[in-house]
Amino acid sequence: MLATEIADDFICPSNEVKLIDAVTAFSLYVIQHPSELTAFYVVPMRQAFRAAYPCPGRNP
């Protein structure tokens, strides 16, 4: 996976998001999608953050 592929994702956490919020978002995502743990960790992490912190006006 290239850094540009990650940068192309639209992830928009607010300024109030704390590290524990991101950890929780990732943890909940992998609990709900356990089959994605076979992928390199960046893939499910990116998908978890896209779901938890979508950008207004953008489709994931």
Side-chain angles (χ1 to χ4, degrees):
M1 171 160 307
L2 301 174
T4 54
E5 291 174 313
I6 296 170
D8 286 342
D9 279 340
F10 298 103
I11 301 170
C12 299
S14 70
N15 291 335
E16 291 81 33
V17 172
K18 300 195 178 350
L19 177 59
I20 191 65
D21 300 325
V23 170
T24 300
F26 178 68
S27 298
L28 291 173
Y29 185 85
V30 295
I31 287 169
Q32 294 171 351
H33 304 90
S35 64
E36 295 196 26
L37 287 177
T38 60
F40 184 59
Y41 74 91
V42 172
V43 174
M45 185 180 297
R46 176 182 61 158
Q47 292 169 330
F49 291 161
R50 284 178 69 192
Y53 309 113
C55 295
R58 296 267 187 191
N59 292 329

